[in-house]
Amino acid sequence: MKGIILAGGAGSRLAPLTNSISKQLLPVYDKPMIHYPISTLMLAGIRELLIITTPQSREQFEALLGDGSHLGMSFSYATQSAPNGLAEAFLIGESFLAGGPSALALGDNIFHGAGFSGVVRSAAEAKAGASVFAYEVQDPHQFGIVEVGEDGRAISIEEKPVHPKSNWAVTGLYFYDQDVVDIAKTVKPSARGELEITCVNAKYLARGDLDVVQLSRGTTWWDAGTFDSLLQVSNYVRAVERQQRYKVACLEEIAWRQGFISDDDLLRLANNYKNGYKPYLESLLDSSTSS
């Protein structure tokens, strides 16, 4: 399975912060926002990623992330010329996906919680259909909303409904089988002129192939696209890292724990830092040796 991270858009909700920099390059406490969706897909066992940015920001992402080889990964890049909708990611990424299954993560969606890695890995291992991740919200009018039956299967799915049928918002993380590109090609622009990901999900629902993973109360999710949510998630990450003494979405650590890189690779990466990351990464090797 390959992954796509959609890190385009104008970031207008975060202006003037985003007047000269992509939203997904803004800091969320001690790392760029883009590190969080990358970590999500890495936890699912995905090693090949296509990062879709705006034409203006592509060089900045390439300078930050490189080709991914330092993490035992492979990063490719493409651009979305205008915010034409999430489903366009599959049209842009058609050659990258090469007819295989895929995961799509939005560059401003951040997840954290005990057991979350197991949940995403299970979704990545599914052989057919689509999986979406739902989170219970208080303001369902602002999101794509999925109605779920007692058996956990989707009944209906709507984009920002006037009369929501549930409080379960579809988050910015999706797993699809090899049919997603062909399905995305059939999607027509919505009233707002975008190729809606909800339409892709609705087509999977219509054929009985849409699985809904309802995230538990032990998992947190943010759409970090507003001033308040950006501050809230930054404070959350700071609190977790200080209280539990481990780093959230540390790409080097995840790559090492997933077996993408060796002990020697991790040590070399640690030596690139002149701040708290260096002793933190070194401590991982120390604890591994002592155990």
Side-chain angles (χ1 to χ4, degrees):
M1 174 172 281
K2 297 180 180 180
I4 297 176
I5 295 179
L6 190 54
S12 56
R13 291 183 296 168
L14 285 171
L17 293 177
T18 50
N19 286 352
S20 62
I21 189 172
S22 168
K23 168 177 60 177
Q24 292 85 5
L25 294 174
L26 293 173
V28 175
Y29 185 48
D30 59 351
K31 57 190 70 70
M33 187 186 296
I34 189 70
H35 279 210
Y36 294 86
I38 290 175
S39 73
T40 294
L41 297 185
M42 289 174 70
L43 289 171
I46 297 172
R47 300 181 69 168
E48 295 181 68
L49 299 182
L50 175 67
I51 299 167
I52 300 176
T53 75
T54 64
Q56 299 84 357
S57 300
R58 177 170 174 165
E59 289 186 3
Q60 293 173 302
F61 281 96
E62 291 178 338
L64 172 68
L65 300 170
D67 64 3
S69 59
H70 60 294
L71 297 171
M73 303 276 291
S74 174
F75 295 158
S76 301
Y77 299 88
T79 57
Q80 185 181 38
S81 59
N84 297 320
L86 306 187
E88 190 181 38
F90 297 105
L91 308 184
I92 295 170
E94 180 176 9
S95 61
F96 168 77
L97 296 177
S102 60
L104 172 65
L106 303 190
D108 59 0
N109 273 229
I110 297 172
F111 299 83
H112 182 256
F116 182 67
S117 59
V119 171
V120 292
R121 186 173 285 276
S122 293
E125 292 172 352
K127 301 301 182 184
S131 296
V132 299
F133 292 76
Y135 192 86
E136 200 165 17
V137 296
Q138 294 181 344
D139 51 347
H141 302 87
Q142 303 301 315
F143 302 95
I145 294 297
V146 62
E147 181 186 9
V148 183
E150 293 182 0
D151 59 355
R153 304 294 294 180
I155 298 173
S156 68
I157 189 166
E158 299 176 275
E159 182 66 25
K160 297 180 180 178
V162 176
H163 303 291
K165 295 178 181 178
S166 84
N167 281 32
W168 288 96
V170 179
T171 66
L173 179 62
Y174 317 86
F175 288 78
Y176 298 105
D177 64 15
Q178 68 279 357
D179 296 336
V180 67
V181 172
D182 289 338
I183 289 174
K185 287 179 178 179
T186 69
V187 173
K188 305 299 182 184
S190 65
R192 58 178 184 169
E194 295 188 8
L195 302 178
E196 306 285 358
I197 197 69
T198 298
C199 293
V200 172
N201 295 331
K203 290 179 183 292
Y204 275 100
L205 172 61
R207 72 182 205 184
D209 274 344
L210 182 65
D211 182 52
V212 180
V213 180
Q214 293 174 282
L215 295 174
S216 68
R217 293 177 180 267
T219 300
T220 53
W221 165 66
W222 287 270
D223 170 359
T226 67
F227 297 119
D228 284 345
S229 61
L230 184 61
L231 178 59
Q232 287 169 2
V233 67
S234 294
N235 286 336
Y236 173 86
V237 172
R238 178 179 182 271
V240 168
E241 294 192 358
R242 289 195 167 204
Q243 293 173 13
Q244 301 186 19
R245 298 189 178 183
Y246 80 92
K247 289 194 173 296
V248 178
C250 178
L251 301 187
E252 296 89 348
E253 178 180 2
I254 295 171
W256 175 70
R257 292 193 183 280
Q258 294 283 80
F260 299 168
I261 61 174
S262 67
D263 291 358
D264 289 341
D265 294 328
L266 183 63
L267 184 58
R268 280 193 292 271
L269 293 173
N271 288 331
N272 291 333
Y273 289 106
K274 299 184 184 298
N275 56 25
Y277 270 89
K278 184 177 190 296
Y280 176 75
L281 295 175
E282 290 174 339
S283 72
L284 299 176
L285 294 171
D286 293 340
S287 61
S288 175
T289 302
S290 62
S291 62

